[in-house]
Amino acid sequence: MGCSNSGDDAPNAPASAAAGGVPAPPEPEPVEVSELPLPPVAPSEDPGACTKELNPRGTGCVGRDASMQSGGFLPDGTSVTAVVTFVGAPAAPDPGSGYTGRQLIVVKTDGTTFPNGDAWKCVTCGVPDQNAAGRNEPMDYPQPFNDGKRVLVGTNIVDCGTHPIADAACTPDQTHVYPIRWQNTPDDSGKGGNLRELRIHPDDVHLGFNSFTLTGGKLGQFAYLGRLSFNPAPTTGESRGPRYDVVDVTRLFDPEDTQPVEVDPANPGQLRVNPGALAVGELRGFSKDGKEVTYIGSPTESSNIDVFAADLTTGEVRRLTAHPEYVDPIDLSPDGDWTVAMDTRGSDRQMFLAAMRGIPPVTDLITTSVTSSTRNNGQRRFFQPILIDRYGDCGDYSGQRLNASGDGGPGAVNDPNWNGMADPKWSPDGTAVVYWQRLALPPACGGANPLPCEESTEPGGRGVRMMIAKLTSREPAPAPKVAPISDEVPWGVKYVPGTPPPDRPHPPAGTYTLPGAKGGTATVEITYTEDGFAIGTIAVTYDGFTDDGTYVIDGTEKVSARNPSLTVTTVDWFSDLTGTGGGVTATKKTSPDGFHLTIDVMTNIFDATGTLTTTINGKEYKQPANGT
């Protein structure tokens, strides 16, 4: 499962991280980072604010915020998709009136232009209403199909028929926007099931997606794989125009399978941790050969959120990252040897929670939503693009930051106030990565926030930008062509429309022993809430606990969690842990009155009392200040 099972550049990364036949980490490689062109900025959103002086061609303007998102490359390798919000368009019948609202565009990456002289082209502007009947509201995560004629964007597919999307012949009258629908009732009535974070499979036939659940007043999520089937004349459901139906859907989770933390069937008084459990949390994409699904999974180490890959046929799991900082958006390279990840590493954002390594993920049964939500400060993210080889974080190797060059000043490629967003995307030949960034804006800067706001150096004061990182020493290494995969995922469960989502099994209330792999024990006490529906408190006492025979954990940790509302979690955290051995002295301690955090998973605003501090070989990692 690779070196990411055990190591990274944190001071207490296990000394055995580079063992097991893993090759030496790669040396840093040369990277050239530059910015890609976007439409001009209008001074306001008022009708007509996008004047001929700003855009002589009449092809639209964006706002300062632009509300954009970059996407994947088209097969030509010289253009990339994005979605932007056009503002300030003139009123009809002016030809520029169609350049308004959330739209799909294509941007040149090689310095060339489209026939009209623009370095970008709006694909969906001006599409006739009859060509977009039933178009869904979400327009995000634009991902081209390998045929170059279609783009998945939000819960729609933009289709230009026989013409490549980037071709001049792909005009509005030739373009259709088809909604995607998932049957979720036995009689196929209604709007269909909710789909989010969609990812197209490289076979151009299958679709991965996520869907929220609500069980017992608690928000949950499962990931699914289905097949796209074009339905030209639907006879069921509320949308009766041409659409794509998602059929033969499989839930990528089986409650009867091995769970990340479970009672040992051979010893009901013991718990066991299963790092190879198929615990797909949120689907993030697929390997370019189509064999693996990538996802955020249950932590392997406490408070450490990582991404994993699982073989769609065998269920074999690979841990792609291991650094204690938070990672979420990723993309695997065409040749399968690299991961590009948006990660908070280098910011120390998550280190107060996760820097102490080797703690088994027991309290994470109730803390994962909280630990993952501290990664942001509202709209401010702390992501930067990180290049990681196939074997993952290993010993002193923790990847290479792609945009490390620059003087760090306003507008520089490594300006810390410009934070990466989702999703980074590889070029088809593996020699470049496109990503996008947003400048920190109030209230994440200025006012009561100690971070001063920075004036944008972008044209028109634009607060977003799209970047390309060229790996100049690389030879092209394109992905293989992928034949349609099977609809069957042996380790998943076929979805039957109308059936309720399952519960994710947890150990029942009680006191258990968790033995260390090489010695010592952890005594775990699990208490459920009064209604018996969810775990309320987990208390752990470590006594000489060691998984490698060298690094030993002692002390206590107790966490209680409750949900004041659907998306808000409050935790009461008491920790007094020490870790010693292998040249490491580590502590994870709360203040005497404990650490108490309330956070909304939808807004990510840090609000805590008390303190939680992790210290590694004398270096302290403290929690963020409230509101930062």
Side-chain angles (χ1 to χ4, degrees):
M1 286 168 54
C3 207
S4 274
N5 278 323
S6 54
D8 74 288
D9 70 338
N12 66 330
S16 60
V22 174
E27 293 294 325
E29 58 184 290
V31 184
E32 292 181 359
V33 180
S34 57
E35 186 172 348
L36 295 177
L38 289 172
V41 174
S44 75
E45 297 185 6
D46 296 337
C50 182
T51 63
K52 290 292 185 180
E53 288 74 23
L54 287 171
N55 188 338
R57 299 183 183 90
T59 51
C61 299
V62 297
R64 285 192 176 91
D65 175 62
S67 187
M68 72 157 289
Q69 184 175 44
S70 69
F73 279 84
L74 289 164
D76 60 18
T78 62
S79 49
V80 66
T81 55
V83 287
V84 299
T85 301
F86 286 96
V87 300
D94 190 293
S97 62
Y99 290 86
T100 187
R102 190 81 161 167
Q103 305 287 356
L104 172 69
I105 68 172
V106 176
V107 179
K108 289 288 188 179
T109 64
D110 60 355
T112 63
T113 62
F114 290 96
N116 71 346
D118 283 334
W120 53 273
K121 167 190 173 181
C122 185
V123 179
T124 52
C125 294
V127 171
D129 290 345
Q130 64 269 24
N131 286 12
R135 169 176 167 170
N136 287 322
E137 182 73 20
M139 291 282 286
D140 53 14
Y141 301 101
Q143 302 157 66
F145 287 68
N146 288 318
D147 61 18
K149 301 170 185 176
R150 295 175 293 165
V151 177
L152 171 70
V153 55
T155 50
N156 304 283
I157 291 175
V158 177
D159 189 328
C160 211
T162 60
H163 307 296
I165 287 286
D167 195 88
C170 181
T171 55
D173 63 301
Q174 295 293 311
T175 303
H176 289 78
V177 182
Y178 298 117
I180 300 172
R181 186 176 181 278
W182 173 34
Q183 178 184 347
N184 70 333
T185 58
D187 62 357
D188 200 19
S189 60
K191 295 181 179 180
N194 71 85
L195 303 94
R196 64 180 303 271
E197 299 275 358
L198 286 69
R199 301 294 188 274
I200 188 68
H201 188 274
D203 67 0
D204 279 3
V205 173
H206 288 85
L207 179 75
F209 63 95
N210 302 282
S211 185
F212 281 140
T213 62
L214 181 60
T215 306
K218 188 173 183 179
L219 191 66
Q221 181 173 230
F222 289 102
Y224 299 83
L225 178 76
R227 177 164 43 84
L228 288 167
S229 176
F230 185 66
N231 188 344
T235 58
T236 57
E238 289 188 9
S239 175
R240 298 297 176 93
R243 72 189 189 209
Y244 277 88
D245 291 328
V246 189
V247 300
D248 280 322
V249 175
T250 298
R251 185 182 66 242
L252 300 180
F253 174 75
D254 183 355
E256 302 299 321
D257 201 354
T258 300
Q259 301 301 312
V261 178
E262 63 182 5
V263 177
D264 189 339
N267 188 339
Q270 284 192 0
L271 293 182
R272 66 180 186 184
V273 175
N274 303 302
L278 286 157
V280 180
E282 184 170 274
L283 185 145
R284 303 309 298 160
F286 301 93
S287 60
K288 297 302 188 295
D289 62 8
K291 295 179 180 179
E292 293 179 308
V293 58
T294 61
Y295 59 93
I296 304 169
S298 293
T300 298
E301 300 172 275
S302 187
S303 301
N304 187 355
I305 308 297
D306 288 311
V307 287
F308 301 80
D311 190 290
L312 285 167
T313 301
T314 67
E316 181 180 356
V317 174
R318 291 194 295 134
R319 185 181 179 188
L320 299 177
T321 63
H323 194 285
E325 286 289 350
Y326 182 91
V327 62
D328 184 343
I330 67 157
D331 194 31
L332 299 186
S333 65
D335 63 7
D337 287 339
W338 300 86
T339 298
V340 60
M342 285 296 180
D343 197 299
T344 63
R345 63 185 69 185
S347 71
D348 288 350
R349 180 72 179 178
Q350 299 289 97
M351 298 295 274
F352 80 103
L353 285 165
M356 184 173 169
R357 309 302 300 277
I359 304 172
V362 178
T363 58
D364 301 75
L365 291 169
I366 58 174
T367 61
T368 298
S369 64
V370 166
T371 54
S372 63
S373 298
T374 58
R375 70 190 185 274
N376 297 344
N377 176 26
Q379 286 299 313
R380 186 188 181 197
R381 303 197 178 194
F382 296 82
F383 287 148
Q384 297 297 345
I386 308 295
L387 180 68
I388 310 166
D389 83 346
R390 180 179 182 83
Y391 300 97
D393 303 302
C394 188
D396 292 333
Y397 173 71
S398 59
Q400 176 183 350
R401 179 171 164 178
L402 287 177
N403 61 340
S405 62
D407 60 12
V413 297
N414 62 340
D415 180 348
N417 288 340
W418 282 92
N419 295 159
M421 309 294 281
D423 280 353
K425 289 294 181 181
W426 286 93
S427 65
D429 64 0
T431 64
V433 171
V434 161
Y435 62 97
W436 69 287
Q437 296 177 307
R438 184 189 295 276
L439 182 63
L441 299 172
C445 65
N449 195 301
L451 175 71
C453 289
E454 178 182 305
E455 287 293 325
S456 173
T457 59
E458 294 297 302
R462 181 165 27 85
V464 293
R465 63 186 187 183
M466 187 159 54
M467 313 296 286
I468 184 168
K470 296 179 180 179
L471 307 172
T472 56
S473 65
R474 294 199 173 197
E475 295 295 327
K481 290 186 177 181
V482 178
I485 62 171
S486 171
D487 292 336
E488 305 302 318
V489 181
W491 48 269
V493 175
K494 278 293 181 185
Y495 173 74
V496 178
T499 56
D503 291 329
R504 290 188 183 267
H506 290 149
T511 301
Y512 303 92
T513 298
L514 174 65
K518 292 295 180 71
T521 60
T523 302
V524 181
E525 183 179 356
I526 298 176
T527 306
Y528 273 64
T529 54
E530 287 186 7
D531 60 10
F533 180 75
I535 297 175
T537 301
I538 298 176
V540 190
T541 299
Y542 294 93
D543 183 7
F545 184 94
T546 177
D547 277 337
D548 64 3
T550 301
Y551 180 69
V552 178
I553 298 173
D554 290 287
T556 61
E557 191 161 46
K558 180 180 179 180
V559 183
S560 298
R562 57 192 182 279
N563 295 97
S565 69
L566 182 62
T567 61
V568 175
T569 301
T570 295
V571 295
D572 302 307
W573 201 313
F574 297 85
S575 184
D576 187 7
L577 298 177
T578 62
T580 56
V584 175
T585 300
T587 63
K588 184 177 183 181
K589 294 180 180 290
T590 54
S591 53
D593 57 344
F595 170 68
H596 310 278
L597 172 67
T598 297
I599 198 162
D600 190 320
V601 299
M602 295 307 204
T603 58
N604 309 136
I605 305 298
F606 195 89
D607 182 16
T609 60
T611 63
L612 173 56
T613 303
T614 296
T615 305
I616 309 296
N617 287 349
K619 182 174 181 179
E620 287 189 344
Y621 298 100
K622 296 181 178 292
Q623 72 202 53
N626 285 349
T628 66

